[in-house]
Amino acid sequence: MENNLSLLVVSSVTGEQRRYSINRYLLYGVLFVLVMCFFVGAFGLYKYRENLELKKKYLLLDAEKEQLEVVVRNLKGIEEKQESVRELLGLEDIKINEDNE
């Protein structure tokens, strides 16, 4: 009986008494499991929120990447048109932005 915790419940209406007893180590074990579940749940919530933030950042970076790809395609088109215009004008050998040194 040393390792047991007892709880005495007395009904206020009938005066009936009930005694409940539980092993102290079993109670400590249950409390330990509950505390561990709380901490694991808190860590899971933290990781879930971190994952949501990373997904948002990924979507933003993906949108920026698509915009950069559009710009690159436009620049390639401009360069192709520039080459064709230079050929029509006979300026193939002249370079733009030459350094005069």
Side-chain angles (χ1 to χ4, degrees), residues 56-68:
K56 287 178 186 176
K57 189 180 282 188
Y58 170 77
L59 291 174
L60 287 173
L61 288 174
D62 195 37
E64 282 184 26
K65 178 185 169 191
E66 289 178 12
Q67 289 176 350
L68 288 174

Side-chain angles (χ1 to χ4, degrees), residues 21-97:
S21 179
I22 187 168
N23 189 330
R24 181 178 295 180
Y25 298 118
L26 179 65
L27 181 65
Y28 291 157
V30 169
L31 288 175
F32 177 76
V33 168
L34 288 175
V35 168
M36 289 305 295
C37 286
F38 173 77
F39 284 118
V40 168
F43 181 73
L45 180 64
Y46 169 75
K47 284 299 189 180
Y48 175 75
R49 288 187 178 176
E50 183 181 35
N51 190 24
L52 285 179
E53 290 178 21
L54 288 175
K55 279 184 182 180
K56 287 178 186 176
K57 189 180 282 188
Y58 170 77
L59 291 174
L60 287 173
L61 288 174
D62 195 37
E64 282 184 26
K65 178 185 169 191
E66 289 178 12
Q67 289 176 350
L68 288 174
E69 288 174 353
V70 168
V71 169
V72 167
R73 282 194 302 268
N74 288 341
L75 285 176
K76 284 183 181 179
I78 290 171
E79 287 175 354
E80 290 172 1
K81 290 178 183 176
Q82 177 187 4
E83 288 176 10
S84 63
V85 168
R86 289 173 65 85
E87 286 177 14
L88 287 174
L89 296 175
L91 301 173
E92 300 96 9
D93 296 333
I94 300 175
K95 293 184 179 180
I96 298 177
N97 296 332

Side-chain angles (χ1 to χ4, degrees), residues 11-26:
S11 172
S12 63
V13 176
T14 61
E16 185 179 342
Q17 294 182 358
R18 292 188 185 206
R19 181 179 300 264
Y20 298 99
S21 179
I22 187 168
N23 189 330
R24 181 178 295 180
Y25 298 118
L26 179 65

